[in-house]
Amino acid sequence: MPVVEQPERIEADDANVWTRRLVLFLRIMALLSIVKGLYHWAQVTGFVGGEDEAFENQPMAWQAATVYFAVIELVAAVGLWLATPWGAVVWLTTVVSMAVIELMFPGIYGGSLLVVAGEALMLAAYLALAWMAARERPP
């Protein structure tokens, strides 16, 4: 009897390969979000940067964006690690927010197209993995 159960288990594992890949991607993005969130908190608290780059010496728009990302990146990280739907939504909000700030308000963080390209690449990877995972589970 164990011989019969073994092939069924392998087939079940093969059937969820894209879902497992999506969860792995979400966990990697969670770790990246933790790093980004902690970096923003380090900027707020003064652990990074010199006297000239202190939080108090920055423009109000930079301060607001930094505090926003310091909070939302860590919230997204928790949701992503747990692979919850709200985690993906919060993470997508952070990705789009960073891209919009870099493109529309280059005075805040410098308008780096490299950051926008990285955010777009992560978004495309998520959408592709989510699409493939959804195709594994028929309605």
Side-chain angles (χ1 to χ4, degrees):
M1 195 179 292
V3 175
V4 175
E5 291 178 23
Q6 187 76 350
E8 291 176 8
R9 182 174 182 196
I10 292 172
E11 289 176 16
D13 287 345
D14 289 342
N16 293 324
V17 68
W18 287 106
T19 301
R20 286 185 287 134
R21 289 177 183 168
L22 176 62
V23 171
L24 177 63
F25 176 79
L26 292 176
R27 297 261 166 99
I28 293 169
M29 290 301 102
L31 294 174
L32 183 62
S33 289
I34 288 172
V35 170
K36 288 167 55 178
L38 291 177
Y39 175 74
H40 287 294
W41 274 115
Q43 288 179 312
V44 170
T45 58
F47 282 115
V48 294
E51 186 83 20
D52 296 336
E53 300 169 352
F55 183 78
E56 305 85 33
N57 297 335
Q58 299 297 328
M60 184 65 71
W62 185 92
Q63 290 177 352
T66 301
V67 170
Y68 169 77
F69 285 114
V71 172
I72 200 165
E73 288 283 359
L74 295 179
V75 171
V78 171
L80 287 172
W81 189 264
L82 298 174
T84 61
W86 63 265
V89 171
V90 174
W91 178 74
L92 290 171
T93 302
T94 65
V95 168
V96 171
S97 297
M98 183 59 81
V100 167
I101 284 178
E102 291 289 350
L103 287 175
M104 303 295 205
F105 305 101
I108 295 177
Y109 286 137
S112 172
L113 292 179
L114 189 59
V115 171
V116 174
E119 300 288 342
L121 184 64
M122 289 187 298
L123 178 61
Y126 170 74
L127 292 175
L129 287 169
W131 176 270
M132 296 305 288
R135 290 183 57 185
E136 282 182 340
R137 296 179 304 256

